[in-house]
Amino acid sequence: MSVKFVESSQLPTPWGVFDIHGFEDAESGKEHVVLTLGDVSDGQPVLARVHSECLTGDALFSMRCDCGAQLQAALEKIAEEGRGVLFYLRQEGRGIGLMNKIRAYKLQDEGADTVEANEKLGFGADMRDYSLLKVMCEHLNIGKVRLMTNNPRKVKALTDQGVDVVERLPLQTGQNPHNAKYLATKSGKLGHLF
Ligand SMILES: Nc1nc2c(ncn2[C@@H]2O[C@H](COP(=O)(O)OP(=O)(O)OP(=O)(O)O)[C@@H](O)[C@H]2O)c(=O)[nH]1
């Protein structure tokens, strides 16, 4: 594992002043960030969100997915509790990258669902790798989490790396007519729990 901690600083947000921790993967050149609020290293379960980058949803307000709404809801919930962690992983497009995600969108415009579109481009349905979470959790001394997700793969990924997921909290928000088919495919083909 070539992921290394780089530096920490502060990040004021509309929901409070978070700490921001930078990590880089020398092998892939990818840079990731983790936001924390409060003392997350005290051994108590930490309210957590593992979020994969979605430039279109997180930064450009896209309604084709539920990513931006989930990101905001997660930060709000962490702020409400005054303690928690957001792992922001730069695995755009479920790991296929931004340009390929736009190619996949075009195929979806033409009738494919989100899984078929990935496959037509020669990718698996979900190419994400969560193994870097181990280094991040160890660095922050996080051993137990209450995970905000609808995705059972994230629960398994953390558990496989020795992080105890003591609770899964559904994160259902951002549904709209533009993402109805996408969300139905996630629950029908990708095993998302809704
Ligand atoms: N390939 C592809 N990726 C997409 C599409 N729509 C959204 N994404 C990506 O899907 C990922 C969604 O990430 P998350 O919200 O962390 O994960 P999730 O699997 O939806 O699980 P939870 O939100 O935790 O329930 C992001 O990387 C998005 O860029 C799409 O149509 N095709």
Side-chain angles (χ1 to χ4, degrees):
M1 173 54 58
S2 55
V3 176
K4 287 199 173 60
F5 168 70
V6 179
E7 189 53 281
S8 296
S9 184
Q10 289 201 319
L11 198 73
T13 75
W15 305 282
V17 181
F18 285 72
D19 291 312
I20 182 165
H21 313 274
F23 292 82
E24 72 185 2
D25 183 343
E27 220 169 84
S28 67
K30 290 224 164 144
E31 298 172 317
H32 309 274
V33 292
V34 181
L35 301 191
T36 57
L37 188 68
D39 181 4
V40 294
S41 64
D42 60 5
Q44 295 303 308
V46 182
L47 181 62
R49 168 78 183 154
V50 174
H51 194 86
S52 303
E53 179 177 18
C54 180
L55 183 92
T56 46
D58 298 343
L60 300 176
F61 316 105
S62 168
M63 294 168 72
R64 281 190 84 133
C65 58
D66 54 348
C67 300
Q70 286 184 313
L71 178 61
Q72 181 165 336
L75 289 173
E76 281 169 4
K77 283 181 200 295
I78 290 169
E80 264 166 41
E81 290 207 2
R83 179 170 174 275
V85 61
L86 167 82
F87 300 92
Y88 192 90
L89 308 181
R90 310 288 300 283
Q91 311 197 86
E92 174 61 68
R94 295 198 302 273
I96 67 173
L98 181 58
M99 293 305 113
N100 283 323
K101 186 174 81 172
I102 296 171
R103 290 187 181 103
Y105 278 169
K106 174 73 175 158
L107 292 167
Q108 289 172 68
D109 297 342
E110 294 164 0
D113 67 31
T114 184
V115 169
E116 291 162 350
N118 265 34
E119 287 166 354
K120 279 179 193 247
L121 292 169
F123 298 108
D126 190 342
M127 306 290 289
R128 286 175 287 183
D129 173 10
Y130 296 104
S131 60
L132 70 181
L133 287 168
K134 188 174 168 65
V135 171
M136 294 171 170
C137 287
E138 280 173 4
H139 180 81
L140 296 164
N141 197 33
I142 292 173
K144 290 180 192 165
V145 295
R146 294 163 50 230
L147 189 66
M148 294 181 272
T149 187
N150 310 316
N151 185 347
R153 288 181 197 207
K154 291 183 182 177
V155 175
K156 183 173 186 316
L158 279 164
T159 309
D160 285 351
Q161 287 166 73
V163 178
D164 190 3
V165 181
V166 299
E167 191 181 1
R168 182 188 72 84
L169 302 162
L171 192 58
Q172 287 164 11
T173 180
Q175 288 95 339
N176 70 71
H178 304 283
N179 64 23
K181 183 180 175 194
Y182 169 69
L183 296 181
T185 305
K186 286 216 295 189
S187 77
K189 286 194 174 178
L190 289 170
H192 282 239
L193 307 160
F194 283 100

